[in-house]
Amino acid sequence: MTRLFLIAISLVMFACASPQKKETVFSPSKMLDLSAEKIKKTSLELINSDEFLRNIPKGKIDWKVVGVKDWCSGFWPGVLWYAYEASGDEELRAEAERFTAPVKKIAYTAALDHDIGFQVYCSFGNGYRLTGNEEYKTVLLAAADTLATLYNPKVGSILSWPIMVEEMGHNTIIDNMMNLELLFWASKNGGSKELYNIAESHAKVTMKYIVRPDNAVYHVADFNQDTGEFVKGHTHQGLSDESMWARGQTWGIYGFAMSYRETGNKEFLNTSIKLADHFLEKLPEDGIPYWDFDDPKIPNTPKDASAAGVAACGLLELSVLVEDKVLKEKYFNAAKKSLEILSSKEYFSGDKNKALLLHSTGHLPNDSEVDVPIIYADYYYMEALLRLKKLEAKNN
């Protein structure tokens, strides 16, 4: 009787335990596979190669598209190149080539703004890195020369928004740090050495005038275009001039880490570290930044998954560049945690729509792209996953 009783108890315990599922372990490889499959399906449904994905409005499933002159035009072909890199799928390579080709005109058209790096380096740059196509290299070199036409030697930086000169004077924004990689690359791959000097000078000016004493950043710095004198720092997309706009902070983290990698200037590395530490100190408990860290409506204000993706890329870059083992682990683990959260059901879209990530915020003060999928969030998410996968393979 006792034996039968024990067996019965055991069966009951097994029955209670069996429905419990093991927690899913985050895997960059798995997320890359899921993402590449979704990206391929989306691309094969697109007819016009001169229309580029930008955002998915609230309540919609399909992407809203823009033309090649939009500052985001390079991100969709970049996403395709990352999907090809992750999968090796030749159909994805063909799709990447299809959407990269129309961006060529940006390299040979008078510069409208500083976004040439986002447009051309994210598309042709990734394409050249993965294929070695010499035609891509030619386009990249031309794009670098076009971007350099916006440089003002009196200020020492690249003009970000020519259309805003009348209102702001010579203006330089923190986002522009990301476009310097095109100039650094070109100077080392057949372009003028002056491109290196322009990029280095721009990073120094940004470090001096946009990075604030509190280790946050202004979005914009205005200068007298004739004398080069600094006028003021302010915001365009953040809450206020002295607030901490999340994506701006992450452009700084990534941009200064990249500038250190290209120049060896320790001041750039130290600046990236300061910005990264400040960012990590201010992160909310769930690990994804609000659109602006100083919004008084927190926690009832939108998040910005795109800032988390950019931060993950910058932190992984930092983890490779710093020599201190404690810092290496700190930045690597922070980036991995961010990607794990972005890969959760709260942020990874699954079958909700055709994007990869939910909950990005573009320009809240202008009520533009608030709490929606945005293409550059997907781009930096894919880049960060690939970086993480390679680093884990290297460390194991």
Short mmCIF file of all heavy atoms in Angstrom, two decimals, residues 3 28 40 56-57 110 117 153 294 337 340 349 365 370 373 380:
data_model
loop_
_atom_site.label_atom_id
_atom_site.label_comp_id
_atom_site.label_asym_id
_atom_site.label_seq_id
_atom_site.Cartn_x
_atom_site.Cartn_y
_atom_site.Cartn_z
N ARG A 3 3.86 1.51 -1.09
CA ARG A 3 4.54 1.62 -2.38
C ARG A 3 3.61 2.24 -3.42
O ARG A 3 4.01 3.11 -4.19
CB ARG A 3 5.01 0.24 -2.83
CG ARG A 3 5.82 0.27 -4.11
CD ARG A 3 6.24 -1.13 -4.53
NE ARG A 3 6.96 -1.09 -5.77
CZ ARG A 3 7.32 -2.18 -6.46
NH1 ARG A 3 7.00 -3.37 -5.98
NH2 ARG A 3 7.98 -2.05 -7.58
N PRO A 28 22.22 35.01 -30.06
CA PRO A 28 22.33 35.93 -31.19
C PRO A 28 22.17 35.20 -32.53
O PRO A 28 21.58 35.74 -33.47
CB PRO A 28 23.72 36.54 -31.04
CG PRO A 28 24.46 35.68 -30.08
CD PRO A 28 23.42 35.05 -29.21
N LYS A 40 14.14 38.77 -45.56
CA LYS A 40 14.07 38.23 -46.92
C LYS A 40 12.63 38.23 -47.43
O LYS A 40 12.35 38.67 -48.56
CB LYS A 40 14.63 36.81 -46.95
CG LYS A 40 14.57 36.15 -48.33
CD LYS A 40 15.16 34.75 -48.29
CE LYS A 40 15.02 34.05 -49.63
NZ LYS A 40 15.60 32.69 -49.60
N ILE A 56 6.94 52.12 -39.58
CA ILE A 56 5.61 51.51 -39.66
C ILE A 56 4.69 52.31 -38.74
O ILE A 56 4.85 52.27 -37.52
CB ILE A 56 5.63 50.03 -39.25
CG1 ILE A 56 6.54 49.23 -40.19
CG2 ILE A 56 4.21 49.46 -39.26
CD1 ILE A 56 6.60 47.74 -39.88
N PRO A 57 3.75 53.05 -39.32
CA PRO A 57 2.83 53.86 -38.49
C PRO A 57 2.05 52.99 -37.52
O PRO A 57 1.84 51.79 -37.76
CB PRO A 57 1.91 54.51 -39.53
CG PRO A 57 2.71 54.52 -40.81
CD PRO A 57 3.50 53.24 -40.76
N ALA A 110 25.47 67.11 -55.27
CA ALA A 110 25.93 68.09 -54.29
C ALA A 110 25.33 67.78 -52.92
O ALA A 110 24.15 67.43 -52.80
CB ALA A 110 25.52 69.50 -54.73
N GLY A 117 27.13 59.76 -44.97
CA GLY A 117 27.72 58.57 -44.36
C GLY A 117 26.67 57.53 -44.05
O GLY A 117 26.83 56.34 -44.37
N PRO A 153 36.74 74.98 -42.51
CA PRO A 153 38.02 74.99 -41.80
C PRO A 153 38.11 76.02 -40.69
O PRO A 153 38.89 75.86 -39.75
CB PRO A 153 39.03 75.29 -42.92
CG PRO A 153 38.23 75.94 -44.00
CD PRO A 153 36.87 75.33 -43.93
N ASP A 294 15.49 62.82 -19.14
CA ASP A 294 15.02 63.85 -18.23
C ASP A 294 13.56 64.22 -18.42
O ASP A 294 13.10 65.24 -17.88
CB ASP A 294 15.90 65.10 -18.36
CG ASP A 294 17.33 64.84 -17.93
OD1 ASP A 294 17.51 64.37 -16.79
OD2 ASP A 294 18.25 65.08 -18.72
N LYS A 337 23.08 42.32 -22.50
CA LYS A 337 21.81 42.46 -21.78
C LYS A 337 20.81 43.26 -22.61
O LYS A 337 19.62 42.91 -22.71
CB LYS A 337 22.02 43.13 -20.42
CG LYS A 337 20.73 43.33 -19.64
CD LYS A 337 20.96 44.10 -18.34
CE LYS A 337 19.63 44.37 -17.63
NZ LYS A 337 19.80 45.19 -16.41
N GLU A 340 19.52 41.16 -25.39
CA GLU A 340 18.61 40.13 -24.87
C GLU A 340 17.22 40.73 -24.65
O GLU A 340 16.20 40.11 -24.97
CB GLU A 340 19.16 39.56 -23.57
CG GLU A 340 18.35 38.40 -23.02
CD GLU A 340 19.04 37.70 -21.86
OE1 GLU A 340 20.17 38.10 -21.49
OE2 GLU A 340 18.45 36.74 -21.34
N SER A 349 9.34 42.19 -32.72
CA SER A 349 7.96 42.28 -33.21
C SER A 349 7.32 40.94 -33.51
O SER A 349 6.08 40.83 -33.49
CB SER A 349 7.92 43.16 -34.47
OG SER A 349 8.59 42.49 -35.53
N PRO A 365 9.41 65.83 -29.89
CA PRO A 365 8.92 67.22 -29.86
C PRO A 365 8.16 67.62 -31.11
O PRO A 365 7.32 68.51 -31.07
CB PRO A 365 10.22 68.03 -29.71
CG PRO A 365 11.16 67.10 -29.02
CD PRO A 365 10.86 65.75 -29.62
N VAL A 370 6.78 58.44 -33.17
CA VAL A 370 6.77 58.24 -31.72
C VAL A 370 6.25 56.83 -31.39
O VAL A 370 5.13 56.48 -31.74
CB VAL A 370 5.91 59.30 -31.01
CG1 VAL A 370 5.89 59.05 -29.51
CG2 VAL A 370 6.46 60.70 -31.31
N PRO A 373 8.02 51.24 -35.00
CA PRO A 373 9.22 50.66 -35.61
C PRO A 373 9.87 51.67 -36.57
O PRO A 373 9.17 52.33 -37.35
CB PRO A 373 8.69 49.45 -36.38
CG PRO A 373 7.39 49.12 -35.74
CD PRO A 373 6.81 50.46 -35.35
N TYR A 380 20.77 48.79 -36.54
CA TYR A 380 21.75 48.67 -35.47
C TYR A 380 21.51 47.42 -34.61
O TYR A 380 22.46 46.88 -34.03
CB TYR A 380 21.78 49.95 -34.62
CG TYR A 380 22.41 51.09 -35.39
CD1 TYR A 380 21.63 52.12 -35.92
CD2 TYR A 380 23.78 51.10 -35.64
CE1 TYR A 380 22.21 53.14 -36.66
CE2 TYR A 380 24.36 52.12 -36.39
CZ TYR A 380 23.57 53.14 -36.90
OH TYR A 380 24.15 54.14 -37.65
#
